[in-house]
Amino acid sequence: MLSKQDHRLIELLRRNARASVTELAKALDLSRSTVQNRINRLEASGVIRSYSVELGGEYALNRVEAHVSIKVQQKLTAKTNLELEQINRVVQLYAVSGEYDLIAIVQAPSLEELSAVLDEIGNLDGVDRTTSSVVLETKFRR
Amino acid sequence: MLSKQDHRLIELLRRNARASVTELAKALDLSRSTVQNRINRLEASGVIRSYSVELGGEYALNRVEAHVSIKVQQKLTAKTNLELEQINRVVQLYAVSGEYDLIAIVQAPSLEELSAVLDEIGNLDGVDRTTSSVVLETKFRR
DNA sequence: ATCTATTTAGTCAATTTGATAAATTTTTGC
DNA sequence: GCAAAAATTTATCAAATTGACTAAATAGAT
């Protein structure tokens, strides 16, 4: 069970995953060892999977992204998943229910490369059809 | 300009943003102060926007997600963006080009709540039509 | 080739960490 | 309501890490 405190801790870590345990303890008004125990527990139990970094600025400028909805031929689902995982520009892949079967998030350093990857995906054996949405702007993330 | 070293450093931080500067320096075979300087610079220049946490396990189990593609009435674009930002379950919002104008990522603790939010979005003034994809499984993220 | 600017190496004291033990509080089952 | 179990707090230690700094080395420009 995730307690109220766990949620508060997670919230802080979401905002700054590099905060020291000491800082976190102060902000939560808990003892350092409690916070340290909680973090250890959350890591061990898989709630905290990893710590990552949000990039922006110059990095984001040299990066274009698209969301690709994919309709797959049922029989080739497994194969298609594997093939998509081979494509390095595919940074996230979701199985979804609805009109489409998969959603792939693709990132590339230029529109040309992005376009090439979109073609590549569209031409996979198991892919029936795709709808691509090139990201123009990230309105927000939270 | 982002040097080769910057990219290597970013790569490490993506994998574990809580790694100590000392560890990072060891892995990159650079001095600690070099790494510290680089990190400071990357933060100041906006390349590193923040440090965050990837959640899974029990947390992910109590969380359902959907990708919602949204076609907006041009005139009401600004208003719709604001309204979407008001909805707390909308955790990401992108302006996109293609068949749709926006993509909203929605997270909720239950299918019921998710469904309610999807309805809410569909009923916004400026929203022409939506296509929702409920995430069944995250195949991978990287 | 030399001057400048950037990058890297090294050093210090102060802070933070991880690990552990023991005391206290809270939660839970019965 | 109370006893047992679990969680939290306080305290301690040596080891590791940090931030701030100075000096050395390297790269770039003219």
Side-chain angles (χ1 to χ4, degrees):
Chain A
M1 267 290 106
L2 294 184
S3 73
K4 177 98 185 174
Q5 304 283 39
D6 286 322
H7 281 284
R8 291 210 303 145
L9 172 56
I10 288 170
E11 195 42 51
L12 286 181
L13 283 172
R14 275 164 87 95
R15 282 212 288 276
N16 178 15
R18 270 186 89 76
S20 76
V21 177
T22 308
E23 279 178 300
L24 295 170
K26 211 168 295 172
L28 293 169
D29 200 30
L30 294 174
S31 76
R32 183 172 73 87
S33 43
T34 300
V35 173
Q36 204 145 37
N37 284 341
R38 276 184 191 286
I39 290 177
N40 290 341
R41 203 146 31 76
L42 290 171
E43 288 176 353
S45 70
V47 173
I48 292 179
R49 246 216 290 218
S50 66
Y51 302 96
S52 177
V53 109
E54 303 280 331
L55 300 169
E58 197 185 331
Y59 188 91
L61 289 178
N62 302 319
R63 197 143 290 257
V64 288
E65 182 174 292
H67 291 225
V68 187
S69 298
I70 304 173
K71 177 92 188 116
V72 183
Q73 291 174 31
Q74 283 89 340
K75 300 203 166 185
L76 298 176
T77 302
K79 188 185 167 207
T80 304
N81 283 345
L82 283 177
E83 287 172 339
L84 285 169
E85 187 154 2
Q86 299 309 310
I87 303 176
N88 263 304
R89 303 299 190 195
V90 177
V91 295
Q92 295 170 39
L93 185 63
Y94 303 97
V96 298
S97 80
E99 201 176 322
Y100 296 92
D101 303 307
L102 296 173
I103 292 180
I105 312 291
V106 180
Q107 285 182 357
S110 71
L111 277 174
E112 286 71 25
E113 281 206 50
L114 181 67
S115 175
V117 176
L118 297 184
D119 284 349
E120 188 180 355
I121 293 175
N123 289 328
L124 290 178
D125 257 11
V127 172
D128 246 13
R129 73 197 157 78
T130 63
T131 300
S132 299
S133 299
V134 176
V135 174
L136 301 175
E137 186 192 351
T138 299
K139 293 293 186 180
F140 64 80
R141 282 163 171 270
R142 62 183 162 215
Chain B
M1 267 290 103
L2 294 184
S3 71
K4 177 97 184 174
Q5 303 284 39
D6 286 323
H7 280 283
R8 290 210 303 144
L9 172 56
I10 287 170
E11 193 44 49
L12 287 180
L13 282 173
R14 275 164 85 95
R15 281 212 288 274
N16 178 14
R18 270 186 89 77
S20 74
V21 177
T22 308
E23 280 177 298
L24 295 169
K26 212 169 293 171
L28 293 169
D29 201 30
L30 294 174
S31 80
R32 186 175 70 82
S33 47
T34 300
V35 174
Q36 203 146 38
N37 284 341
R38 277 184 191 286
I39 290 178
N40 290 342
R41 201 149 29 75
L42 290 172
E43 288 175 354
S45 70
V47 172
I48 293 179
R49 246 216 290 219
S50 67
Y51 301 96
S52 167
V53 101
E54 303 279 332
L55 300 168
E58 196 186 332
Y59 188 91
L61 289 178
N62 300 319
R63 198 141 292 255
V64 288
E65 182 174 293
H67 291 225
V68 187
S69 299
I70 305 173
K71 177 94 188 114
V72 184
Q73 291 174 31
Q74 284 89 340
K75 299 202 167 186
L76 298 176
T77 302
K79 189 186 167 206
T80 304
N81 283 346
L82 283 177
E83 286 172 340
L84 286 169
E85 187 155 3
Q86 298 310 310
I87 303 175
N88 262 305
R89 303 298 191 197
V90 177
V91 296
Q92 293 170 42
L93 184 63
Y94 301 98
V96 298
S97 79
E99 202 175 321
Y100 295 92
D101 302 309
L102 296 173
I103 292 180
I105 312 293
V106 180
Q107 285 183 356
S110 71
L111 277 175
E112 286 71 25
E113 281 207 51
L114 181 68
S115 176
V117 176
L118 296 184
D119 284 349
E120 189 179 355
I121 292 176
N123 288 328
L124 289 178
D125 257 11
V127 171
D128 245 15
R129 70 197 160 77
T130 64
T131 300
S132 299
S133 299
V134 176
V135 174
L136 301 174
E137 187 192 351
T138 299
K139 295 291 187 182
F140 63 81
R141 281 162 171 270
R142 63 183 160 213

